């Protein structure tokens, strides 16, 4: 169940009499990133009753009998061991040091026992790998950092990995994406335990939005994982990338792989963590971004060169993934380019804008029509588009990119120049817009 749901799944167990819901145990391992480890310590370990936040009792537990060294060479001392988990109503695994290494057997046994006795088990970021190794995610929906989602899906095929969600609440087992999404999930737990007022008060203390909508799709890097290099699908994927200018669908790719559509979908998802249709549309949008940034082709021409069946389809998918129309994206990108590039030819940009004068995708309802206009891609109706990042080095610096996004949104009328604070969102404006969307070239590699 995603972060947007308001229904609590009916998979929770009755809490054992010796456990208390207000007791939160945080399980630490050596080699874990310090930021992810500190999130539950800050949320559940500080007394903020003066701000209206009910108090939790925190137990910091060592998950193994070795020095707990974290990032930066810091060494931590946990006051409790695995035996303390027997009192906790909530057990949090904030991170795991390796997405390929097995967690300690004793820690896995303690997690299984806690779950059997009704404790709520939480995995933040790569902590999901520990929960999966304990078998607690079998047959369940889960998420993790988008960068590690393909590996989680491949190593644990019985887990229903969704790399698009910020966090997934499946009742007594919860998982989150990387870093900041760990805060989102901890706030969600406080909201479930004590209500929206308590979660809002805590969010104000942490200076973060009380609830973010949307998911990880704006950050997704849809390049394929290295593991696919030796897989038979690699040849099919390479062919698809070389022929994006042609109009073909997933059935075409399945035929080239000598597989049925159903088998191809399953194999592709197991390798990449993404459905093939999502990946294909994302690659077409990525190619459109490159052409808008580096060429003078009109939007209609860009659509044709990226394999979209119509400019309307391009506009719909482009807006869904990047939050602006192709014309506004190009104008903002060129306005922020250093002198000496395409920005030195404003008359060409003007010509492009005139060519794209019929772009009505600034209106949300027309953006949906863009999806309907692409008759060959109707299967994407039930799946959200994913934000794509262009490879590092192809774009300008981060400050320039952020300014370009602000300009694009100003041109397309989707945002104000200065976003309001988290406690005073603009009326009618989704909270996810409080975060600046990332544009191609900002390849982030967070730890955990």
């Amino acid at each position: 169940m995603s972060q947007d749901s308001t229904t609590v799944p009916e998979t929770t167990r009755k809490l054992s009499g010796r456990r208390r819901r207000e007791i939160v145990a945080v399980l630490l391992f050596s080699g874990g990133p310090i930021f992810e480890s500190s999130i539950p310590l800050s949320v559940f370990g500080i007394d903020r009753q003066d701000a209206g936040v009910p108090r939790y009792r925190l137990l910091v537990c060592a998950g193994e009998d070795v020095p707990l060294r974290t990032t930066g060479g810091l060494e931590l001392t946990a006051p409790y061991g695995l035996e303390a988990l027997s009192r906790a109503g909530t057990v949090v695994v904030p991170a795991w040091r390796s997405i390929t290494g097995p967690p300690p057997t004793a820690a896995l046994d303690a997690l299984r026992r806690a779950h059997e006795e009704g404790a709520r088990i939480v995995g933040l970021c790569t902590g999901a790998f520990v929960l999966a190794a304990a078998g607690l995610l079998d047959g369940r929906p889960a998420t993790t950092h988008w960068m590690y989602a393909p590996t989680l899906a491949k190593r644990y095929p019985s887990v229903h990995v969704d790399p698009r969600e910020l966090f997934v609440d499946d009742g007594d087992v919860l998982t989150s994406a990387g870093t900041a999404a760990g805060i989102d999930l901890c706030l969600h737990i406080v909201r479930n335990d004590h209500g929206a007022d308590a979660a809002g008060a805590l969010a104000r203390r942490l200076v973060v939005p009380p609830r973010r909508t949307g998911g990880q799709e704006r950050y997704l890097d849809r390049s394929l994982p290295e593991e696919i290099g030796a897989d038979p699908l690699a040849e099919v994927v390479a062919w698809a990338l070389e022929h994006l200018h042609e109009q073909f669908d997933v059935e075409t790719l399945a035929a080239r792989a000598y597989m049925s559509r159903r088998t191809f979908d399953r194999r592709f998802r197991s390798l990449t963590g993404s459905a093939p249709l999502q990946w294909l549309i994302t690659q077409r949008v990525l190619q459109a971004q490159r052409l808008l940034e580096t060429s003078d082709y009109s939007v209609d021409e860009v659509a044709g060169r990226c394999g979209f069946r119509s400019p309307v389809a391009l506009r719909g998918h482009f807006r869904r993934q990047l939050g602006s129309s192709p014309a506004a994206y190009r104008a903002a990108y060129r306005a922020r380019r250093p002198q000496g590039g395409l920005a030195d030819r404003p008359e060409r940009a003007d010509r492009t804008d005139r060519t794209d004068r019929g772009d009505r995708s600034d209106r949300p309802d027309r953006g949906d029509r863009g999806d309907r206009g692409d008759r060959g891609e109707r299967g994407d109706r039930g799946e959200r588009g994913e934000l794509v990042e262009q490879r590092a080095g192809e774009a300008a610096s981060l400050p320039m990119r952020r300014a370009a996004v602000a300009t694009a949104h100003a041109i397309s009328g989707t945002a104000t120049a200065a976003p309001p604070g988290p406690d005073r969102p603009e009326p009618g404006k989704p909270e996810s817009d409080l975060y600046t969307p990332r544009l191609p070239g900002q390849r982030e590699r967070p730890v955990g």
Side-chain angles (χ1 to χ4, degrees):
M1 182 167 294
S2 73
Q3 71 276 13
D4 296 326
S5 177
T6 57
T7 304
V8 178
E10 297 182 358
T11 56
T12 56
R13 303 166 185 255
K14 183 177 180 179
L15 190 63
S16 171
R18 62 177 176 171
R19 295 180 180 273
R20 296 291 180 268
R21 182 67 68 186
E22 68 274 10
I23 297 180
V24 177
V26 177
L27 193 57
L28 299 181
F29 297 97
S30 183
I34 191 169
F35 184 51
E36 282 80 356
S37 301
S38 69
I39 290 173
L41 304 184
S42 178
V43 171
F44 302 111
I46 298 178
D47 186 355
R48 297 187 177 91
Q49 295 181 84
D50 61 321
V53 182
R55 185 175 184 178
Y56 289 88
R57 183 182 176 191
L58 181 70
L59 303 178
V60 182
C61 307
E64 52 192 341
D65 295 328
V66 297
L68 302 180
R69 293 188 176 89
T70 184
T71 49
L74 299 178
E75 186 169 316
L76 306 178
T77 301
Y80 300 96
L82 289 173
E83 69 283 352
L85 267 63
S86 63
R87 291 181 280 160
T90 300
V91 180
V92 182
V93 183
W96 172 238
R97 60 175 170 262
S98 171
I99 61 174
T100 56
T105 301
L108 298 180
D109 290 340
L111 286 172
R112 295 188 193 103
R113 187 162 50 251
H115 180 252
E116 291 171 357
E117 295 179 356
R120 178 172 49 190
I121 311 297
V122 181
L124 307 183
C125 194
T126 53
F129 284 82
V130 179
L131 273 58
L136 302 183
L137 297 181
D138 290 350
R140 291 177 176 263
T143 192
T144 187
H145 192 290
W146 60 262
M147 192 166 63
Y148 306 128
T151 303
L152 182 64
K154 185 176 182 180
R155 286 179 60 84
Y156 303 99
S158 61
V159 180
H160 306 310
V161 181
D162 189 344
R164 299 169 298 179
E165 299 291 354
L166 289 176
F167 63 81
V168 172
D169 180 348
D170 197 41
D172 53 359
V173 177
L174 304 88
T175 52
S176 81
T179 314
I183 302 177
D184 294 321
L185 179 50
C186 289
L187 286 173
H188 173 74
I189 292 173
V190 174
R191 186 180 301 110
N192 283 349
D193 288 350
H194 302 292
D197 290 344
L202 177 58
R204 286 191 291 273
R205 282 295 183 93
L206 298 176
V207 197
V208 296
R211 186 196 295 266
R212 283 197 293 168
T213 58
Q216 293 190 84
E217 60 265 26
R218 70 178 61 187
Y219 309 110
L220 284 170
D221 176 358
R222 302 317 297 174
S223 56
L224 294 174
E226 295 180 359
E227 291 96 325
I228 199 175
D231 192 274
L233 290 185
E235 182 179 349
V236 176
V237 169
W239 180 90
L241 293 174
E242 292 175 0
H243 293 79
L244 288 175
H245 59 284
E246 301 178 8
Q247 292 183 12
F248 60 87
D249 52 22
V250 178
E251 281 76 9
T252 302
L253 299 181
R256 293 190 66 87
Y258 301 101
M259 298 178 184
S260 68
R261 170 65 187 269
R262 184 174 181 179
T263 301
F264 181 79
D265 283 1
R266 184 173 64 252
R267 291 280 297 122
F268 195 96
R269 187 184 288 275
S270 68
L271 284 170
T272 68
S274 171
L277 180 60
Q278 292 174 333
W279 179 85
L280 180 58
I281 292 175
T282 293
Q283 296 302 322
R284 294 193 190 281
V285 172
L286 175 56
Q287 179 69 2
Q289 287 179 269
R290 295 191 185 108
L291 292 179
L292 290 168
E293 293 175 358
T294 61
S295 76
D296 287 328
Y297 294 128
S298 69
V299 173
D300 289 16
E301 291 172 317
V302 168
R305 290 175 179 270
C306 296
F308 287 104
R309 298 180 185 275
S310 70
V312 177
L314 166 62
R315 292 178 181 116
H317 289 301
F318 199 95
R319 169 168 291 284
R320 223 163 91 180
Q321 294 190 23
L322 292 178
S324 68
S325 69
Y329 177 89
R330 166 178 273 169
Y333 182 83
R334 292 185 175 183
R336 301 297 175 180
R337 294 264 309 171
Q339 291 190 358
L342 289 173
D344 292 337
R345 294 181 286 176
E347 70 280 358
R348 298 290 287 172
D350 292 341
R351 180 190 66 80
T352 303
D353 290 342
R354 288 195 301 270
T355 303
D356 193 37
R357 192 165 301 211
D359 184 3
R360 300 296 184 185
S361 63
D362 291 350
R363 303 175 184 175
D365 54 331
R366 296 305 295 269
D368 293 339
R369 292 186 185 181
D371 295 341
R372 293 193 296 269
D374 193 352
R375 297 172 182 263
E377 294 165 348
R378 290 178 179 267
D380 189 50
R381 284 184 178 181
E383 302 176 352
R384 293 196 299 274
E386 301 164 349
L387 178 65
V388 186
E389 302 171 358
Q390 192 174 348
R391 293 174 176 80
E394 293 183 0
S397 64
L398 175 58
M400 185 181 73
R401 283 288 179 169
R402 287 176 174 166
V405 172
T407 305
H409 282 190
I411 292 174
S412 60
T414 59
T416 57
D423 297 329
R424 299 182 305 278
E426 181 179 334
K429 184 181 182 63
E431 293 183 29
S432 59
D433 285 346
L434 299 177
Y435 289 77
T436 304
R438 293 167 55 206
L439 278 121
Q442 295 174 226
R443 171 159 288 183
E444 206 172 40
R445 294 290 182 187
V447 178

